């Protein structure tokens, strides 16, 4: 590969690395970030969910914008917006500013960058070089996800989590300097942006995920005390129903545009491709489980066990190393293996890891119980990552690669949003119910205190460390015996919540197994058949 081609690949791979880094780099620092910006773990959960949701709803429109103004220009504008978001996040004094910088501006920037990368790889590399180029760009994303927890842990422990985002600004400036070597991807035609479709998809996906996100505070069906109620039912139900209805309207609208010969936001005929739809479905389940694990496990390590951000990152390293090993090793060692078989085994391995960790968690367990389960989850993630990209890209002609890239990134970010929101919601809901039950059954806690706790915490118990809870109890003037009983009750409830979060992820994985049959049984370009 010539020097100019290497510079192009470095530029695009750096963009992919940066986009993937934000999905894992801050998870080890959730408690620290929450404290610094004056919010709770639930508030940071909302920021993580909002970041991936903004990308999900804007990814396809972002790809259309790139086709109109030019892929390289969209890539560079996206980098500028992303850099502004990183800078805003680095200096954020509170949660609203963090949401503006991290969740919104970085999300908008990523929605312009990621679809452009797919098209720019196709424009800058010949047909024979393209598979290797796509593979190296995808590998950069896998490396970022794998190293993210360690990078975040080092920065938070020795400097500040803010330095991660300041460093992203420097990387963006470097990418912009290198981008002049990238040849633009000239579209065959000037596409039309389906504004109505973009608004419908954003409202539908946003409403559904927002409902899931607020379920821990409002209640899934029955409204929690002091929370809003619509016709006697929690707003969560109505938001999710409204989201599904609007998504249905979106597909009806897209079908109408297609019948009229106008350009839809999403080519519905493309989604009828069995191989493509199978790959996209498995991407959704992979990222749902992956980001749910990246949310739940760091909370156990950093909050429940009190490890530093660096200690948390080191403990997550087995997952990162296993992910990279499987993602790179499977294509090299088993180039002709059945994608269906690899994906099925990968999903089963991820489920097994979640179940093993769920069984191992206890109030007396330490950080070592996460090692084997995280190895299993990482191997499963890497197995899926080794197959799904090639399956989706090869399902359609090269000229549709940018469209596939937009839909694929939408699906992965939607899975990330739902995984984080669902795992966090179930975790907080179960923890709250368990804590209130434990308090009620404890003979060491006075009846008056039980009554006060039931009223004040009925809407939700925050996920905090023992030290934070002890400080709150001391401030409230709790007696030592009652304080000890409350700490024990909370420790048990916290484990119950973490187990519930892992259980819902394992259940999602089992649901995903029903869709594995849509995966092909042969590698793209291979004529050899197998049963999978």
């Amino acid at each position: 590969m010539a020097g100019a081609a290497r510079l192009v690949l470095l530029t695009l791979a750096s963009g992919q690395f940066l986009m993937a880094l934000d999905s894992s780099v801050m998870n080890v620092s959730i408690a620290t970030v929450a404290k610094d910006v004056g919010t709770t773990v639930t508030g940071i959960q909302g920021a993580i969910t909002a970041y991936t949701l903004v990308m999900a709803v804007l990814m396809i429109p972002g790809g259309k914008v790139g086709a109109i103004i030019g892929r390289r220009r969209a890539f560079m504008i996206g980098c500028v917006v992303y850099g502004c978001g990183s800078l805003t996040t680095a200096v954020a004094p509170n949660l609203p500013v963090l949401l503006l910088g991290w969740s919104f501006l970085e999300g908008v920037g990523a929605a312009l960058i990621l679809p452009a990368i797919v098209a720019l790889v196709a424009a800058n590399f010949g047909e024979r070089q393209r598979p290797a180029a796509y593979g190296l760009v995808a590998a950069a994303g896998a490396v970022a996800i794998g190293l993210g927890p360690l990078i975040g842990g080092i920065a938070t422990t020795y400097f500040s989590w803010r330095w991660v985002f300041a460093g992203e600004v420097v990387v963006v400036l470097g990418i912009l300097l290198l981008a002049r070597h990238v040849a633009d991807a000239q579209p065959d035609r000037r596409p039309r942006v389906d504004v109505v479709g973009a608004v419908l998809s954003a409202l539908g996906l946003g409403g559904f995920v927002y409902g899931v996100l607020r379920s821990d505070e409002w209640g899934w069906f029955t409204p929690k005390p002091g929370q809003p109620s619509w016709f006697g039912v929690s707003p969560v139900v109505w938001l999710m129903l409204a989201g599904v209805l609007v998504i249905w309207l979106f597909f009806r609208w897209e079908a109408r545009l297609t019948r009229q010969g106008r350009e839809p936001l999403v080519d519905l005929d493309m989604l009828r491709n069995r191989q493509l739809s199978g790959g996209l479905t498995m991407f959704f389940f992979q990222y749902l489980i992956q980001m749910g694990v990246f949310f739940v496990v760091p909370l156990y390590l950093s909050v429940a066990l009190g490890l530093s951000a660096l200690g948390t990152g080191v403990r997550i390293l087995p997952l990162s190393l296993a992910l990279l090993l499987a993602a790179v090793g499977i294509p090299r060692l088993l180039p002709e293996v059945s994608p269906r078989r690899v994906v099925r085994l990968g999903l089963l391995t991820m489920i097994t890891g979640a179940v093993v960790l769920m069984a191992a968690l206890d109030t007396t367990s330490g950080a070592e119980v996460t090692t084997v389960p995280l190895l299993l989850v990482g191997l499963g993630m890497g197995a899926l990552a080794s197959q799904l990209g090639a399956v989706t890209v090869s399902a359609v002609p090269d000229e549709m690669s940018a469209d596939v890239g937009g839909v694929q990134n939408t699906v992965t970010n939607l899975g990330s949003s739902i995984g984080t929101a669902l795992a966090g919601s179930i975790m907080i809901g179960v923890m709250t119910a368990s804590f209130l039950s434990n308090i009620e059954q404890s003979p060491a806690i006075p009846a008056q205190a039980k009554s006060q706790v039931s009223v004040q915490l009925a809407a939700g118990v925050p996920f905090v460390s023992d030290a934070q809870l002890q400080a709150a109890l001391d401030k409230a003037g709790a007696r030592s015996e009652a304080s000890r009983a409350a700490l024990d009750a909370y420790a048990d409830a916290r484990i119950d919540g973490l187990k519930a979060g892992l259980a819902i992820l394992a259940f999602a994985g089992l649901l995903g197994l029903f869709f594995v049959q849509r995966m092909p049984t042969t590698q793209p370009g291979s004529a050899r058949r197998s049963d999978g």
Side-chain angles (χ1 to χ4, degrees):
M1 191 177 288
R6 289 195 186 97
L7 280 177
V8 171
L9 191 58
L10 175 63
T11 305
L12 301 178
S14 297
Q16 187 76 31
F17 180 92
L18 204 58
M19 300 303 99
L21 185 68
D22 257 15
S23 66
S24 64
V25 71
M26 280 295 100
N27 293 64
V28 298
S29 311
I30 290 174
T32 305
V33 177
K35 181 181 179 181
D36 284 357
V37 299
T39 186
T40 63
V41 165
T42 303
I44 301 303
Q45 175 201 5
I48 295 171
T49 302
Y51 170 63
T52 52
L53 183 58
V54 168
M55 284 195 287
V57 301
L58 294 182
M59 199 64 68
I60 296 175
K64 298 290 185 181
V65 169
I68 293 172
I69 67 174
R71 303 293 185 182
R72 188 174 71 171
R73 182 178 296 174
F75 178 79
M76 295 180 73
I77 291 173
C79 284
V80 171
V81 175
Y82 191 93
C84 290
S86 296
L87 183 60
T88 303
T89 306
V91 299
N94 51 44
L95 182 60
V97 177
L98 185 79
L99 287 168
L100 172 64
W102 188 11
S103 304
F104 181 71
L105 290 176
E106 288 195 24
V108 171
L112 289 170
I113 293 169
L114 288 170
I117 288 176
V118 178
L120 289 172
V121 168
N124 283 267
F125 296 92
E127 192 171 342
R128 296 183 65 182
Q129 293 177 307
R130 212 170 287 158
Y134 275 126
L136 288 171
V137 169
V143 169
I145 292 174
L147 295 182
L150 194 59
I151 293 171
I154 292 172
T156 303
T157 301
Y158 294 111
F159 308 101
S160 167
W161 60 270
R162 299 178 186 276
W163 284 96
V164 173
F165 294 96
E168 287 184 352
V169 177
V170 176
V171 175
V172 164
L173 292 174
I175 291 173
L176 289 172
L177 287 174
L178 291 172
R180 58 191 176 89
H181 298 285
V182 179
D184 203 357
Q186 297 297 332
D188 297 331
R189 55 187 175 76
R190 186 181 177 88
R192 170 186 171 275
V193 177
D194 173 17
V195 176
V196 174
V199 171
L200 287 174
S201 64
L203 289 175
L205 296 176
F208 184 88
V209 176
Y210 184 69
V212 176
L213 183 63
R214 298 307 299 269
S215 59
D216 59 332
E217 181 180 348
W218 291 345
W220 278 98
F221 188 84
T222 304
K224 291 187 176 182
Q227 299 303 314
S229 169
W230 299 347
F231 303 103
V233 178
S234 170
V236 169
V237 174
W238 302 111
L239 282 170
M240 294 176 68
L241 287 175
V244 172
L245 175 61
V246 175
I247 292 170
W248 177 79
L249 290 174
F250 164 75
F251 282 109
R252 295 282 293 178
W253 172 258
E254 298 299 285
R256 180 187 177 193
L257 290 184
T258 303
R259 288 195 303 270
Q260 294 175 348
R262 298 158 65 189
E263 184 173 352
L265 186 68
V266 177
D267 184 349
L268 298 183
D269 288 335
M270 180 178 70
L271 297 181
R272 294 187 182 99
N273 181 312
R274 180 180 175 86
Q275 178 175 324
L276 177 61
S277 63
L280 293 174
T281 302
M282 299 319 300
F283 260 125
F284 173 82
F285 282 104
Q286 176 194 346
Y287 275 78
L288 187 155
I289 301 169
Q290 175 176 308
M291 296 313 297
V293 168
F294 268 118
F295 180 74
V296 172
V297 174
L299 285 181
Y300 169 68
L301 294 170
S302 64
V303 179
L305 297 185
L307 296 186
S308 67
L310 177 58
T312 301
V314 169
R315 284 295 177 178
I316 294 177
L317 201 56
L319 182 151
S320 305
L321 294 175
L323 187 159
L324 294 174
L325 184 66
V328 175
I330 291 175
R332 286 180 175 272
L333 298 176
L334 302 168
E336 297 298 321
V337 72
S338 162
R340 184 187 298 176
R341 181 175 294 139
V342 174
V343 169
R344 181 184 290 123
L345 289 175
L347 199 55
L348 283 169
T349 305
M350 292 175 75
I351 295 167
T352 302
V355 171
V356 169
L357 182 55
M358 184 174 63
L361 286 184
D362 190 78
T363 53
T364 60
S365 58
E368 68 281 352
V369 301
T370 65
T371 303
V372 172
L374 289 183
L375 275 171
L376 293 172
V377 173
L379 286 172
M381 287 165 52
L384 268 66
S386 74
Q387 305 297 313
L388 297 183
V391 166
T392 55
V393 170
S394 66
V396 298
D398 286 346
E399 58 268 20
M400 297 180 68
S401 60
D403 292 333
V404 169
V407 175
Q408 178 178 306
N409 283 309
T410 296
V411 168
T412 56
N413 283 291
L414 180 61
S416 298
S417 299
I418 293 178
T420 304
L422 186 62
S425 172
I426 295 296
M427 181 187 72
I428 295 294
V430 170
M431 186 178 71
T432 298
S434 177
F435 181 61
L436 293 178
S437 175
N438 292 345
I439 289 291
E440 189 62 35
Q441 295 173 16
S442 175
I445 298 176
Q448 184 179 1
K450 291 179 181 179
S451 178
Q452 290 176 342
V453 167
S454 297
V455 172
Q456 293 177 5
L457 299 179
V461 174
F463 197 96
V464 297
S465 65
D466 289 345
Q468 290 172 305
L469 180 58
Q470 183 66 66
L473 291 168
D474 291 343
K475 186 177 179 180
R479 292 185 295 105
S480 59
E481 186 180 355
S483 178
R484 183 68 259 168
L487 283 168
D488 291 341
Y490 186 76
D492 289 337
R494 194 167 50 199
I495 292 297
D496 290 341
L498 290 166
K499 286 186 173 185
L502 291 168
I504 197 66
L505 297 176
F507 178 78
L510 290 173
L511 187 62
L513 286 173
F514 287 94
F515 298 91
V516 173
Q517 288 299 115
R518 300 188 69 84
M519 294 292 295
T521 58
T522 57
Q523 288 292 329
S526 173
R528 185 178 65 81
R529 305 298 300 178
S530 66
D531 295 332

